[in-house]
Amino acid sequence: ILNVEQSPQSLHVQEGDSTNFTCSFPSSNFYALHWYRWETAKSPEALFVMTLNGDEKKKGRISATLNTKEGYSYLYIKGSQPEDSATYLCAFHGGTYKYIFGTGTRLKVLA
Amino acid sequence: NAGVTQTPKFQVLKTGQSMTLQCAQDMNHNSMYWYRQDPGMGLRLIYYSASEGTTDKGEVPNGYNVSRLNKREFSLRLESAAPSQTSVYFCASSGQGGIVKNSPLHFGNGTRLTVT
């Protein structure tokens, strides 16, 4: 059974703080790693699709890195804002059509 | 541009009743998926359809059936609902033009199902 783990489960940060989360996934049969942002009462929205070892992606204040050899990805948020409050999901794609999701990191940014 | 449309948004069933959740996408995506989301469990794959005409089981297929009616539509049926199927259900699609690897999942808005 493939296991995708995210840490921490939840965290609270002050507005303006920078923060990061971890997604751990199997290091074999790697195809792609996705990051999604999921706001309460909405549906998940894609942030990044990462496919190559050493990939770095950036969208505004949010960036992500990928290490496929050791099986982890980091998501960074620089200068957190209240509107960044959401659950951040990662999903592992192992070459089949099945995306395996982690349980997410719930971020609350306090004004 | 509607993206992925799911109906209904809410449903309450009694144990043993049946229902079909509808999903349609207008992005010409090849692959479609049904997930359920339960507290502390994350998104778990029920069934998926890699392309029109094919369907396969995911992690938690028991108690469900699916139909890939055409390229646009992928429905999920509960033949005899059980309280354990109380959940939020999400349909998703990906893979425009068959290029799945770099294509993110696009999700519908979810169906909140309660089985009493």
Side-chain angles (χ1 to χ4, degrees):
Chain A
I1 296 176
L2 298 176
N3 206 26
V4 176
E5 295 184 354
Q6 291 188 246
S7 61
Q9 273 192 316
S10 65
L11 76 163
H12 291 70
V13 301
Q14 292 294 133
E15 182 176 358
D17 286 351
S18 293
T19 187
N20 64 84
F21 329 129
T22 304
C23 173
S24 300
F25 52 85
S27 56
S28 58
N29 297 322
F30 178 85
Y31 208 64
L33 192 284
H34 294 199
W35 281 101
Y36 293 86
R37 182 170 178 274
W38 193 358
E39 290 182 75
T40 303
K42 295 188 178 180
S43 53
E45 291 186 352
L47 286 171
F48 305 115
V49 176
M50 310 180 79
T51 57
L52 297 174
N53 186 45
D55 252 357
E56 291 189 24
K57 302 269 185 176
K58 188 175 181 181
K59 185 182 291 188
R61 294 179 291 98
I62 304 177
S63 60
T65 60
L66 179 67
N67 184 324
T68 61
K69 296 185 188 303
E70 296 182 41
Y72 65 84
S73 175
Y74 294 136
L75 188 79
Y76 301 91
I77 302 179
K78 185 177 178 181
S80 302
Q81 300 297 309
E83 58 264 32
D84 296 328
S85 297
T87 296
Y88 292 83
L89 295 174
C90 67
F92 170 78
H93 184 342
T96 68
Y97 287 89
K98 301 178 185 180
Y99 296 83
I100 308 299
F101 281 83
T103 53
T105 292
R106 188 176 303 144
L107 172 67
K108 177 73 174 176
V109 181
L110 305 170
Chain B
N1 188 357
V4 180
T5 304
Q6 271 182 252
T7 55
K9 290 188 179 179
F10 302 95
Q11 184 72 49
V12 178
L13 292 177
K14 293 186 177 175
T15 298
Q17 286 185 317
S18 62
M19 77 161 297
T20 299
L21 282 66
Q22 307 287 353
C23 176
Q25 53 90 8
D26 62 2
M27 295 172 283
N28 198 34
H29 284 169
N30 289 312
S31 303
M32 298 186 73
Y33 308 81
W34 277 105
Y35 286 90
R36 60 179 287 173
Q37 191 257 328
D38 302 293
M41 301 291 288
L43 288 164
R44 291 184 294 167
L45 182 64
I46 305 171
Y47 270 94
Y48 68 99
S49 170
S51 60
E52 185 179 357
T54 69
T55 60
D56 282 287
K57 295 177 181 178
E59 299 172 70
V60 288
N62 291 343
Y64 306 95
N65 285 301
V66 291
S67 295
R68 182 77 182 265
L69 304 167
N70 47 55
K71 191 170 186 179
R72 291 186 64 247
E73 297 172 288
F74 188 39
S75 62
L76 178 72
R77 182 160 179 84
L78 287 70
E79 288 291 352
S80 179
S84 60
Q85 294 178 304
T86 293
S87 188
V88 181
Y89 292 84
F90 286 95
C91 176
S93 69
S94 74
Q96 186 171 15
I99 304 172
V100 176
K101 182 176 181 178
N102 294 330
S103 177
L105 289 168
H106 295 258
F107 287 87
N109 287 330
T111 296
R112 187 173 294 275
L113 174 67
T114 302
V115 183
T116 61

